[in-house]
Amino acid sequence: MTYIGAATSRVDGLAKVTGAAKYAAEIRPAGLAHGAVITSTIARGQLKRIDVSEALKVKGVLDVLTHLNRPEMSADDQSYKDDVAPDGSPFRPLYDDRILFDGQPIALVVAETLEVAQYAASLVQVEYDRGPHITDVHRRMKEAPALEPTDATGADAYAPPNPRGAAEKAFAAADVRHQGEYHVPIEHHNPIELFASTAIFEGNGKLTIYDKTQGVQNVQRYVSRVLKMKPEDVRIMSPFMGGGFGSGLRPQYQVILAGLAALALKRSVRVVLTRQQMYGLGYRPAMVQRIELGAKADGTLEAVMHDAVTVTSQYERFYRQETGWSGLLYRCDNAKYAHRIAPLDLVTSCDMRAPSAATGVYALECAMDELAVALGIDPLELRLKCYSDRDQHNGKPYSSKNLRECYHQGAEAFGWGKRNPEPRSMRDGSDLVGWGMATGVWEALQVPIAVRIVLTSNGHAEVSCATSDIGTGTYTIMAQVTADMLGLPLENITVKLGDSTLPQSPVEGGSWIAASVANGIATTADAVRRELLGLASKMPDSPLAGVVLEEVKLADGKIVSQHDPARGISIADAMRHGGVDRIEQEKATRFAKDETQAHNVHSAVFAEVKIDEELGIIRVTRVVSAVAAGRILNPKTASSQILGGVVWGIGMALHEETLIDHGFGRVMNANIAEYHVPVNADIHDIKVIFVDEPDQSINRLGIKGLGEIGIVGVAAAIANAVYHATGTRVRDLPITLDKLDRP
């Protein structure tokens, strides 16, 4: 049986549904103490006084850590820069008396039980010297510093690309012009699992920390530097993670608080953030974008101009490539970009699913829909007319791009040909019906990685890598690829991951891990096959004598000739004859930089909305997402990834918005009752189509990333459908009923 490409259930599914899978807050070492975090109630200023005396009187309280009495921490700013830190001076939890944002941790109460810790935390008295703050992006618009543009090979991959042609002149001369300003609010990650760390104090003074993270080795390096410990004295474990979506790329402050407390008390300590405290972490930055499109009367694009202002903190400069997607996606000789960042008195913004693409493509695809309306042509026809087989930034052809087929299959499955283009022309009883579509695009990334395989003579294999499974199914695809590469049944494969002592892996994000680790497994499996061939060829009268490595494969528990399956030897016999009980190989895989081709994944999203004409209530009743993403490792888990992305896109379009009281600089809806996300009743029919897209050059297995693309274009398709249903164009997300014109 071939496992790659087969719809396979998650190999870790049973452990998760039975509770056998243990998460960071479920580890129970002996003598465990519990920490409760106290956070600031001002957005900027200094701590004037912290009175912990009443808290210390409570029975069961072990200590209250503040910047005044915590264990020693590094004074070197560089120690706080993790692997994915942006430019600037990273936040130092519990380091000094400065307040940089509302919700900043200022103390940790540690007690024998969580309830005692939480009660004692309520008794701590805090006084501040409050400073002036700004949390409203619109107050920073004029003074927001601009990022310098870069060419395709520039060192700053997130800066706006260099302009091409004469965009302003071409725009002025265009037959049809569109200008629009599009707003995306701050959005917060709301994974089910809260951020948590259980720091186990080992007898020799070492720390083993179970942490919620997307990168155990990133956290290990960060913790060892910040706490001034030897790297070998810190081990980070994260075998299971209940959703990350970018929030776990960087170490969160609770891991340092748990480590500090464990060192101070010389015992194990758990720190779990509350749901409200989760809103004191990173977020998708608010954006104000201006798109200007100019076209000939036939729809040919003449000019694309995209300006964006995005939010970051006062102490770090976080940004992503917000504007470049507009110049990448469609054929146009004249393009110009500007990107400014607005520093506010908030915690640093961060990556959230498809960072920059989810927001930048939203503005572009709404603008393309508006241009289609102005031209009087079908929105799909406009996109096909402007289709490009090359990366417009650098002229490189794509290694593979089957977006045309995404348009075709998606439109056919949706029934797009039956669309009446006139707004308010389609109805279902008392509901207005709207159909909208958009394009999705993301990068096909891959990163250096190392994999270890241990094959035993009884036909079992263990594959290990420090990478994380953030819920995307990494356990499963690692097992599938290993089974195929070694010719073993899936049930004979054991996967180990999420442990900083395992072979090297970067953080899991950007949709790069599946392609990277799968090809890493293939590299290491080659070394296993080579060693097996060496053993098999030395057997008396070996049918594989003189056969070279390229001519053999592993299949059905044997090493066999690819040309003649009858010429084979069982793996067990080869190892037994060689006197070997186990074969262990660890290899690193690096991917050569391709200077000749561009690598991306694409999608076409079609959405139907039904809107109560009197109440303005919007329902997304149908979505079709057609995706071209290279070779699909597992259609079952891959489809689940796209479904999840579509659901999140519905939330982005209609629900999600972090509301800040700018007078206090404080999030007002820091809970999942008032921060709205889609629930089951909001989700109806979603159809996922995977369009065949062979890619022989991107990597050996032809794999592209998949997790991010699912959300890209969804919000735009829904916004365009809302316009088609109502005739009202809403450019300010989320689209709520108060923004619709109604009788």
Side-chain angles (χ1 to χ4, degrees), residues 83 156 161 181 294 302 404-405 443 461 467 474 492 536 541 554:
D83 293 354
D156 186 356
E181 190 169 278
E302 291 284 277
R404 285 187 189 275
E405 191 62 19
E443 302 169 281
T467 190
T474 307
N492 286 22
D541 302 319
L554 303 179

Side-chain angles (χ1 to χ4, degrees), residues 33-39 64-67 70-71 73 80 91-95 103-110 195-199 207 209 211 222-223 226-227 251-265 267-273 277 281:
H34 300 263
V37 181
I38 300 173
T39 57
V64 181
L65 297 182
T66 71
H67 67 283
R70 44 91 179 145
M73 299 169 68
Y80 296 82
F91 170 62
R92 305 181 182 192
L94 239 59
Y95 185 78
Q104 175 180 320
I106 58 174
L108 179 72
V109 179
V110 188
F195 272 94
S197 300
T198 300
L207 291 180
I209 304 178
D211 185 47
Y222 173 79
V223 170
V226 170
L227 299 185
Q252 298 295 7
Y253 66 75
Q254 88 288 332
V255 70
I256 290 298
L257 299 190
L260 283 171
L263 293 175
L265 299 173
R267 63 183 290 182
S268 300
V269 177
R270 175 183 297 152
V271 177
V272 184
L273 301 188
Q277 288 166 350
L281 307 178

Side-chain angles (χ1 to χ4, degrees), residues 407-416 606 622 624 626 685 687 689:
Y407 288 141
H408 172 71
Q409 292 189 29
E412 185 175 36
F414 188 81
W416 185 259
F606 297 82
R622 287 193 300 136
V624 173
D685 182 41
K687 182 178 179 63
I689 300 170

Side-chain angles (χ1 to χ4, degrees), residues 313-535:
S313 69
Q314 295 277 20
Y315 55 91
E316 287 180 307
R317 286 162 49 93
F318 175 88
Y319 54 90
R320 290 293 182 254
Q321 173 57 279
E322 307 291 353
T323 58
W325 303 103
S326 294
L328 165 79
L329 197 51
Y330 298 114
R331 189 175 64 253
C332 184
D333 292 334
N334 306 286
K336 183 180 178 182
Y337 325 88
H339 188 186
R340 292 175 290 149
I341 53 174
L344 300 177
D345 294 301
L346 297 170
V347 69
T348 304
S349 50
C350 73
D351 290 311
M352 183 185 280
R353 196 170 197 162
S356 78
T359 45
V361 173
Y362 154 71
L364 169 67
E365 289 300 285
C366 287
M368 286 290 286
D369 194 75
E370 296 195 58
L371 181 64
V373 171
L375 289 163
I377 66 176
D378 184 89
L380 178 54
E381 180 186 346
L382 175 63
R383 287 163 173 82
L384 288 169
K385 186 174 287 290
C386 301
Y387 193 91
S388 176
D389 288 311
R390 293 179 176 269
D391 181 328
Q392 288 288 292
H393 291 315
N394 51 38
K396 295 178 182 179
Y398 290 100
S399 59
S400 59
K401 182 180 180 181
N402 215 352
L403 178 57
R404 285 187 189 275
E405 191 62 19
C406 290
Y407 288 141
H408 172 71
Q409 292 189 29
E412 185 175 36
F414 188 81
W416 185 259
K418 300 176 183 178
R419 179 180 184 265
N420 185 331
E422 187 66 26
R424 303 180 69 89
S425 63
M426 298 173 65
R427 289 180 175 270
D428 180 10
S430 61
D431 287 342
L432 296 168
V433 177
W435 289 4
M437 61 85 55
T439 306
V441 61
W442 184 250
E443 302 169 281
L445 302 168
Q446 43 201 4
V447 291
I449 203 164
V451 171
R452 180 189 304 134
I453 293 176
V454 177
L455 176 65
T456 55
S457 58
N458 63 355
H460 284 75
E462 176 185 281
V463 57
S464 58
C465 177
T467 190
S468 298
D469 188 337
I470 61 176
T472 51
T474 307
Y475 275 107
T476 306
I477 62 107
M478 285 180 66
Q480 287 178 267
V481 175
T482 305
D484 268 8
M485 293 294 129
L486 298 183
L488 298 175
L490 190 69
E491 57 269 22
N492 286 22
I493 308 299
T494 300
V495 178
K496 285 189 175 181
L497 51 71
D499 180 341
S500 62
T501 65
L502 295 177
Q504 175 270 330
S505 173
V507 295
E508 178 160 5
S511 294
W512 57 56
I513 284 297
S516 303
V517 77
N519 282 278
I521 290 169
T523 299
T524 307
D526 284 347
V528 172
R529 184 162 49 96
R530 181 180 294 108
E531 188 169 344
L532 277 170
L533 178 60
L535 296 173

Side-chain angles (χ1 to χ4, degrees), residues 194-257:
L194 301 169
F195 272 94
S197 300
T198 300
I200 302 173
F201 187 81
E202 309 287 3
N204 52 10
K206 298 181 179 182
L207 291 180
T208 298
I209 304 178
Y210 284 81
D211 185 47
K212 173 175 179 170
T213 178
Q214 293 175 234
V216 289
Q217 291 175 328
N218 182 30
V219 174
Q220 186 270 340
R221 287 185 284 268
Y222 173 79
V223 170
S224 62
R225 290 194 304 263
V226 170
L227 299 185
K228 304 181 72 172
M229 299 178 67
K230 295 177 182 178
E232 59 270 24
D233 288 347
V234 178
R235 182 183 185 185
I236 305 297
M237 304 282 288
S238 185
F240 298 99
M241 187 180 189
F245 315 110
S247 63
L249 288 172
R250 301 186 68 183
Q252 298 295 7
Y253 66 75
Q254 88 288 332
V255 70
I256 290 298
L257 299 190

